């Protein structure tokens, strides 16, 4: 009996790993260059309105929720994202 549980657990883990890989690939496909500087390196998802943030886009596991969260985000490089949070840069009004 324990062998069946192990196989079932391994199968579940394998399916989860495939599912996560598909989601990461989909997110990578949706990435755009940084809204501020235009680089395509180290892109992160920044929630435009933090009050609407349900969760971190990369941590979500449900397609529906990921798609909804992506709609609330800008693509920024890590540097511009950090500057934005440190109030070292402000987005242009047309970004909103």
């Amino acid at each position: 009996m324990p062998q069946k549980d192990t196989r079932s657990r391994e199968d579940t883990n394998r399916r989860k790993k495939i599912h996560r890989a598909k989601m990461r690939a989909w997110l990578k496909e949706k990435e755009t260059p940084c809204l501020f500087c235009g680089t395509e390196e180290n892109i992160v998802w920044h929630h435009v309105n933090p009050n609407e943030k349900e969760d971190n886009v990369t941590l979500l596991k449900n397609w529906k929720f990921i798609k909804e969260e992506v709609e609330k985000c800008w693509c920024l490089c890590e540097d511009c994202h950090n500057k934005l949070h440190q109030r070292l840069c402000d987005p242009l009004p047309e970004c909103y």
Side-chain angles (χ1 to χ4, degrees), residues 12-46:
T12 299
N13 289 339
R14 184 181 55 77
R15 282 195 315 266
K16 284 181 180 179
K17 190 180 273 189
I18 291 169
H19 182 71
R20 283 191 299 267
K22 285 181 182 179
M23 287 191 174
R24 277 194 302 274
W26 184 85
L27 281 170
K28 189 73 176 160
E29 188 179 295
K30 293 294 178 190
E31 281 181 10
T32 59
C34 176
L35 183 64
F36 297 161
C37 71
T39 188
E40 295 181 14
E41 307 276 324
N42 302 317
I43 297 296
V44 296
W45 297 91
H46 171 75

Side-chain angles (χ1 to χ4, degrees), residues 1 14 16 39 59 66 68 76 80 83 87 90:
M1 203 67 159
R14 184 181 55 77
K16 284 181 180 179
T39 188
L59 297 178
I66 287 178
E68 288 174 0
L76 301 176
C80 289
K83 288 176 186 175
R87 306 275 193 257
D90 286 319

Side-chain angles (χ1 to χ4, degrees), residues 47-62:
H47 283 82
V48 178
N49 181 346
N51 295 326
E52 293 179 0
K53 181 177 180 176
E54 296 294 326
D55 206 347
N56 185 323
V57 171
T58 58
L59 297 178
L60 293 169
K61 295 174 177 68
N62 179 296

